[in-house]
Amino acid sequence: MAGNHLIELARQLRRNQTDAEKILWKHLRARQFCGLKFRRQYPIGNYIVDFVCLEKSIIIEVDGGQHSENEKDKERDKWLKEEGFMVLRFWNNEVMKNIEGVLEKIRMHCFKHPPLNPLPSREGKDNTRH
């Protein structure tokens, strides 16, 4: 099944985070960022997003150089926006060198972007925990 494949891939991605993802997750995990629950490497539709706050319908992507002007990323972002999400993208080096600036941008968007079409929580429906 495609869904099971995405869940397993998401688990692998959580185990193999980039340094930039580890730094950002340190600040977002356990509701320590503005009391909001973020999930990492979370499947949405046919995609896995780096970080998502379902409550605020905000997705955060942390990208390396391979994502520069990537057509697949544009298609993916378009689909996610059509589903009601705001997608914020940060470069790895931006997270590594200016985490406070990145967190401030995230904070600003979390409180100005009302959720348009939040996904229902998957908690309690399967054994995956994020």
Side-chain angles (χ1 to χ4, degrees):
M1 278 200 211
N4 288 340
H5 171 71
L6 277 181
I7 291 169
E8 183 53 39
L9 181 57
R11 286 182 181 135
Q12 289 174 11
L13 290 170
R14 283 192 293 275
R15 285 190 297 265
N16 297 305
Q17 288 181 280
T18 66
D19 289 343
E21 289 170 341
K22 287 177 189 174
I23 289 170
L24 186 54
W25 183 238
K26 185 175 87 172
H27 294 275
L28 297 178
R29 67 187 303 269
R31 294 188 187 268
Q32 62 187 351
F33 182 79
C34 301
L36 298 171
K37 179 170 180 72
F38 282 86
R39 298 164 189 268
R40 63 187 170 127
Q41 303 302 338
Y42 189 78
I44 298 177
N46 292 323
Y47 303 105
I48 298 174
V49 299
D50 289 344
F51 304 96
V52 62
C53 176
L54 296 174
E55 175 185 351
K56 295 292 184 174
S57 297
I58 291 187
I59 291 169
I60 303 164
E61 291 292 316
V62 180
D63 298 330
Q66 76 276 14
H67 289 274
S68 180
E69 298 300 316
N70 186 318
E71 285 302 315
K72 287 186 179 182
D73 283 348
K74 289 178 186 177
E75 288 174 26
R76 177 179 192 265
D77 287 359
K78 181 178 183 273
W79 185 86
L80 291 166
K81 287 174 186 175
E82 288 170 355
E83 293 298 308
F85 289 95
M86 171 173 275
V87 180
L88 304 176
R89 286 190 175 274
F90 298 98
W91 294 108
N92 286 342
N93 65 350
E94 188 177 6
V95 172
M96 304 284 285
K97 294 179 181 176
N98 184 20
I99 188 64
E100 290 305 320
V102 167
L103 292 172
E104 185 54 37
K105 287 178 189 175
I106 295 168
R107 185 178 296 111
M108 181 182 74
H109 286 285
C110 281
F111 293 103
K112 81 171 192 181
H113 176 68
L116 300 174
N117 185 21
L119 293 176
S121 173
R122 292 184 351 186
E123 287 186 29
K125 294 186 180 178
D126 61 26
N127 292 330
T128 58
R129 283 285 195 243
H130 307 283

